[in-house]
Amino acid sequence: MAVTRLHAEDYEEFLDFIDQVFSQDLIRVHFQEDMPLLFKPDEAHMQMQYAYRDERGRIRAAIGVIPYTYRVGGEDFAARTITNVATHYRYAGRGYMQQIFRQVFDDLRQEGADFAVLHGNRERYRHTGFEMAGSCDVALFEAYNIPNRKKRGERYDFTFRQLTDSDVELIRRCLALFDREGQHYVRTEQNFLDFQRMWEGRAFAIFDQSGDFCGYLNFYTRFGTAIRELLLTCPAQAASVVYAFMLAQALEEVAVYPSPFDPILNRVIYEAAEYVTNGQTTRLNLLRPERFLQACLELKHRSGAYMPQGKLVLESVLGRLLIRNDGTFTVQKTERPVDLTLAQDEVYGLLFGPSPRVFAPYSAQLGALGAWFPLPFYIHFTDLY
């Protein structure tokens, strides 16, 4: 009975196990088909998988640990996504998952990972150090608004073409738009469409009435109808693009997940949507917080948000950190007296929780403490699994 990292020869046994566990909720799941980028029968992919085997060698619990490079501004960080967390239902409650997590975090620290994320509403993993973090907006568009907008002269003469692997130049243009995002997982021309296809998503290039490229979107229907990514060369056209796509696909409604890094696109989306909700994106566990927090502060400052000069000493599960702004930002361990102490369930919400003041310029009336936080943290909805 032991925790092991799996090998290529374990592929079929492993896939059968996690497919069975996740399909018990009456939702068809086949990980190799749903997320082919992550599940392949080779040694490199299978070494990302941890399993607990019982005394007879049977897999009874498993966790996937997927490595990524996460970019904040111009700085890169070693990130890990914890995925396919699965325990056989007859063997739950025996501590197998806790043993796997201990091994996973021992390895992450040894490998120098900066942080790990675990997506979904998974309160039961708080004991492993994950807390809710990040900010995610969802804007609902309804087709019954289209006639009224047409009366006001809005045009819907955009066209859409689903991208294939042969569309090399279009993929390059889409990737250039994506790379402008303030924070994102690093993608390449070779794997850009692989990310777009997660959970049966489809990427569409967008063209205006002259046939000129003006952006792309990711369309998804697996667990609801959604535009998971929308990036445009002219963000002021965002609402017209969404409604044009609804007409092209004969959609009665669609949820749009706008990135927070384009204030023009966000304003247009929020004004046109039926309603907008805001929530937290993921569960986050910062393993090496200083450089990451410093990069996030720099990004927030460049966004135009009000940032006071001075210093703050914050004590939490992340340690005692001196956060200083004297024109540039530094975050470092310190022994100085503490200004603010936060519990584990408070610090991630304060640092990375939803807030309208992250990217909006606000005046000094926020106060020194209120203006420091939260910091921007975002994972594109396409990358949530």
Side-chain angles (χ1 to χ4, degrees), residues 53-105:
R53 293 187 181 275
D54 66 12
E55 64 279 359
R56 295 172 58 185
R58 299 171 299 184
I59 296 176
R60 291 303 177 218
I63 289 178
V65 182
I66 312 301
Y68 291 101
T69 298
Y70 184 79
R71 186 165 292 160
V72 181
E75 293 197 56
D76 289 349
F77 296 86
R80 302 290 187 271
T81 293
I82 308 298
T83 188
N84 58 262
V85 180
T87 301
H88 193 291
Y89 74 98
R90 288 200 297 268
Y91 293 84
R94 302 190 185 189
Y96 297 164
M97 194 58 68
Q98 293 182 31
Q99 293 186 51
I100 300 178
F101 267 113
R102 281 196 293 271
Q103 183 63 56
V104 164
F105 278 101

Side-chain angles (χ1 to χ4, degrees), residues 39-221:
F39 297 92
K40 296 182 181 180
D42 57 49
E43 191 69 9
H45 283 80
M46 290 304 294
Q47 278 284 287
M48 301 176 190
Q49 301 294 335
Y50 291 74
Y52 182 94
R53 293 187 181 275
D54 66 12
E55 64 279 359
R56 295 172 58 185
R58 299 171 299 184
I59 296 176
R60 291 303 177 218
I63 289 178
V65 182
I66 312 301
Y68 291 101
T69 298
Y70 184 79
R71 186 165 292 160
V72 181
E75 293 197 56
D76 289 349
F77 296 86
R80 302 290 187 271
T81 293
I82 308 298
T83 188
N84 58 262
V85 180
T87 301
H88 193 291
Y89 74 98
R90 288 200 297 268
Y91 293 84
R94 302 190 185 189
Y96 297 164
M97 194 58 68
Q98 293 182 31
Q99 293 186 51
I100 300 178
F101 267 113
R102 281 196 293 271
Q103 183 63 56
V104 164
F105 278 101
D106 285 347
D107 290 352
L108 292 186
R109 292 185 181 94
Q110 187 173 356
E111 295 167 4
D114 291 296
F115 67 86
V117 295
L118 190 156
H119 306 310
N121 183 17
R122 301 176 184 181
E123 175 66 24
R124 59 189 181 275
Y125 303 127
R126 171 171 282 178
H127 70 278
T128 65
F130 286 99
E131 291 292 343
M132 289 301 294
S135 182
C136 177
D137 290 337
V138 185
L140 183 69
F141 279 68
E142 300 275 8
Y144 60 69
N145 286 323
I146 294 176
N148 289 328
R149 297 182 71 90
K150 282 184 174 180
K151 290 177 183 177
R152 299 201 299 270
E154 187 166 82
R155 297 172 62 89
Y156 300 117
D157 44 7
F158 295 94
T159 57
F160 306 88
R161 193 176 99 199
Q162 185 172 344
L163 291 169
T164 68
D165 293 319
S166 62
D167 293 314
V168 176
E169 180 55 35
L170 285 174
I171 291 170
R172 188 173 294 125
R173 292 185 180 185
C174 295
L175 183 60
L177 283 175
F178 181 75
D179 282 341
R180 296 178 193 171
E181 293 285 271
Q183 297 177 22
H184 59 86
Y185 285 145
V186 173
R187 302 175 186 170
T188 67
E189 293 177 21
Q190 291 70 38
N191 66 24
F192 181 82
L193 283 188
D194 291 326
F195 281 97
Q196 299 292 315
R197 290 166 177 152
M198 294 287 199
W199 292 113
E200 302 173 10
R202 292 177 287 160
F204 289 82
I206 305 166
F207 303 91
D208 62 19
Q209 65 272 20
S210 301
D212 294 328
F213 173 82
C214 55
Y216 78 94
L217 61 81
N218 177 283
F219 182 53
Y220 156 99
T221 58

